[in-house]
Amino acid sequence: VSGFSRLLFRPTVIGAENIPLEGPVLIAPIHRSNVDFALTLFISKRKVFFMAKDPIFRVPLLGPLITHLGAFPIHRGSADRESMARSEAVLRQGHALVLFPEGTRQEGRGVAPLHDGAMFLAARTGATVVPVGIGGSDRAMPKGAKLPRPAKITIVVGAPIDPPSSEGRGSRTALTAKSEELRVALEKVYLESLRD
């Protein structure tokens, strides 16, 4: 997957040193394309885990492949306690987890208010949160496309953000404030990734 993606997207990575080499880290990329998950392979030598919508796991070959790459299913449209529990377990074990804080794929240069899930997990596990901008993935595989096409991709990894300081679930106010901090950082790295 890494070799194919490198050939197809010729990725440039800026700021990879911002990913901690150990300890729990929540990698929070912009989400503009179905290839975004594959592009996270280039930002760290660490094994990364990530959630993917459950229908993908029923696709022959693709399901076993993404499971091997570290994916586990999320059931969209409902409060999926199992996938949240698995996400929390991954972080508590000191691993890296990719979570798209926008939820589903979005369009445009702006970043709308984020879901609080990323900061909720960070508060519960003490994980550092790292914003990641991915420029060009929407050209590589726009919404509705069945297969990716060649496109130059630039990935910008932003400065780490400390988790909310409150213990346990954290207050709604603290989570919302930290989610806004992440939104601003995510918009910054995304715009930087579009300059190339």
Side-chain angles (χ1 to χ4, degrees):
V1 171
S2 177
F4 177 73
S5 298
R6 196 176 298 279
L7 182 67
L8 201 60
F9 307 130
R10 308 179 317 280
T12 297
V13 180
I14 300 163
E17 67 278 3
N18 286 323
I19 305 273
L21 296 177
E22 55 187 36
V25 59
L26 201 157
I27 298 168
I30 198 85
H31 198 16
R32 297 293 178 269
S33 170
N34 279 336
V35 298
D36 291 334
F37 85 91
L39 298 166
T40 61
L41 296 172
F42 298 108
I43 62 177
S44 176
K45 294 187 185 301
R46 294 182 65 167
K47 166 82 172 174
V48 296
F49 294 83
F50 56 95
M51 289 185 262
K53 55 188 179 182
D54 62 328
I56 293 175
F57 291 85
R58 295 191 288 271
V59 177
L61 298 179
L62 182 60
L65 173 63
I66 65 170
T67 299
H68 179 73
L69 290 173
F72 53 91
I74 182 170
H75 306 284
R76 287 168 47 185
S78 64
D80 187 356
R81 289 188 171 87
E82 183 182 344
S83 61
M84 288 299 281
R86 289 181 74 175
S87 298
E88 186 173 334
V90 163
L91 293 170
R92 288 197 184 279
Q93 291 166 18
H95 296 301
L97 173 73
V98 174
L99 188 149
F100 296 103
E102 293 175 290
T104 189
R105 286 170 295 160
Q106 303 294 327
E107 296 179 338
R109 292 171 169 250
V111 179
L114 305 176
H115 297 282
D116 285 337
M119 286 305 171
F120 173 80
L121 283 171
R124 286 184 63 90
T125 61
T128 299
V129 181
V130 181
V132 177
I134 303 173
S137 67
D138 55 342
R139 293 190 308 274
M141 192 171 183
K143 273 189 174 184
K146 298 294 184 191
L147 294 170
R149 52 188 173 221
K152 178 74 178 89
I153 302 290
T154 300
I155 303 167
V156 178
V157 182
I161 298 171
D162 291 330
S165 57
S166 53
E167 293 292 325
R169 291 174 61 96
S171 73
R172 174 63 63 187
T173 303
L175 292 178
T176 301
K178 276 293 185 175
S179 292
E180 176 59 13
E181 182 181 344
L182 173 59
R183 187 197 70 76
V184 170
L186 193 56
E187 193 165 79
K188 179 176 183 285
V189 292
Y190 182 46
L191 291 176
E192 287 177 11
S193 74
L194 296 173
R195 288 180 187 152
D196 284 358

